[in-house]
Amino acid sequence: MTDVIATYYFRPREGVTPEWAAQAIAEEQTTGTWTDISTRQNYVHYLDGVVDEIHPSGGGYTCTIRYPSEIFEPGNIPQYLSVLAGNLFGLSRIAAVRLVDVEFSRDIVPFKGPKFGIEGVRKLAGTVDRPHVGTIIKPKVGLNPKDTAAVAYEAAIGGVDLIKDDETLTDQAFCPLGERLPLIMEQLDRVKSETGRNVLYAVNISSAGDKIVQRAREAARMGANMLMIDVIVCGFDAVRAVAEEPGINLPIHVHRTMHAAITRNPEHGIAMRPICRLVRMLGGDQLHTGTVSGKMEHDVTELRGDNLALTEPFFDLKPTFPVASGGLHPGGVHKEVSMLGRDIILQAGGGIHGHPDGTRVGATAMRQAVDAAVAGISPATYAEDHPELKRALDKWGIA
Ligand SMILES: O=C(O)[C@@](O)(COP(=O)(O)O)[C@H](O)[C@H](O)COP(=O)(O)O
Ligand SMILES: [Mg+2]
């Protein structure tokens, strides 16, 4: 059995040595506590966490801690997190601590990973290597099912590859999932017969732990071609439960709403990297990781590393499709593609539905921006003979 290696950034309180702080984390997360105890048996020793290395970093230190994989109950993600990311965050003699990354050992990754992954999603959408364009139905909530489906049709016929519910839309009375889903699939069938394109719709099935698998089954029965889960608010295991459910063969789009409460502070919390590794191993086919030009806080170096964690070899798991979303518009596409590559889903809500000529043209403008980026042509030049893109650039400029 090999060890699991976690990397932490930490800053000890004044008067506390980095050695003491790192050791306190290793003990707190494995077999120790704040004082020696009389109940300890020698045979417990093999489960001790071991501080490997400590290096100064920024205003603090980074350390790697080895966790014997026997401390983990194979397949039990909540238990993994209680060890890797549990009590340590509250230790008062450590001013700040952040879980930066985890190197999992194969024996605690009994999961199958994404069913589709980048290649499988590309096959469904009929693309080879260009970035995908996605949109979020806006306004986030409030539209009735009929109007929601009408917006979906406009975006799909305009050229998007993916349509998704917003993270706050589930099965509320003003837009019941059971009405919205069939109406949207009907519109996407219409687009398929009119254009031959298979547009994906990620229906948000986020719900209580004892309901989410049943909601996934119902969505599949109603003709869904993709599912969406808010992983942080539902819990990581919800992704596994849906991904491993026999009889449900649908890609899973993973939204990370609430992530910034734990990922944003560069000194304290959990970085996006471990979250990327978990979502990939649990079966997420697509995952929001951030943009280089959008409205959300972002660190380009971290972001590129996060996207690599989704796509680099990781045992034999398929790569997960990174999603760049949040304040994106056609004028930002060239920057996203040049910094993040082509295996990316560029998702725009306001950046499509806010186009001066409406949703359909907004979608076309995003596709044109992608075509320009793939062809290596600047958006301004491409806009000279693509009026849809021009109108978008006139409104939002070039990032
Ligand atoms: O509600 C929103 O803000 C979005 O629908 C984007 O809409 P806009 O395109 O209109 O901004 C997404 O939820 C964010 O992208 C989430 O952030 P992240 O991808 O960073 O997790
Ligand atoms: Mg949203």
Side-chain angles (χ1 to χ4, degrees), residues 4 6 45 72 79 113 145-146 160 172 177 224 226 260 266 269 288 308 321 329 333-334 339 350 353 361 390:
V4 172
H45 177 59
F72 300 97
Q79 191 268 339
K146 189 168 143 296
V160 304
Q172 294 100 317
L177 189 153
M226 184 175 264
H288 289 235
L308 194 59
F321 226 147
H329 58 82
V333 165
H334 69 107
M339 312 262 322
H353 309 297
V361 180
K390 174 89 174 57

Side-chain angles (χ1 to χ4, degrees), residues 135-136 138 295 327-329 347-355 395-396:
T135 192
I136 310 108
K138 301 281 176 182
K295 70 181 182 188
L328 271 195
H329 58 82
Q347 203 172 260
I352 283 179
H353 309 297
H355 189 285
K395 179 168 181 177
W396 293 302

Side-chain angles (χ1 to χ4, degrees), residues 223-236:
N225 63 8
M226 184 175 264
L227 303 171
M228 169 174 152
I229 298 176
D230 297 338
V231 65
I232 307 292
V233 291
C234 288
F236 288 93

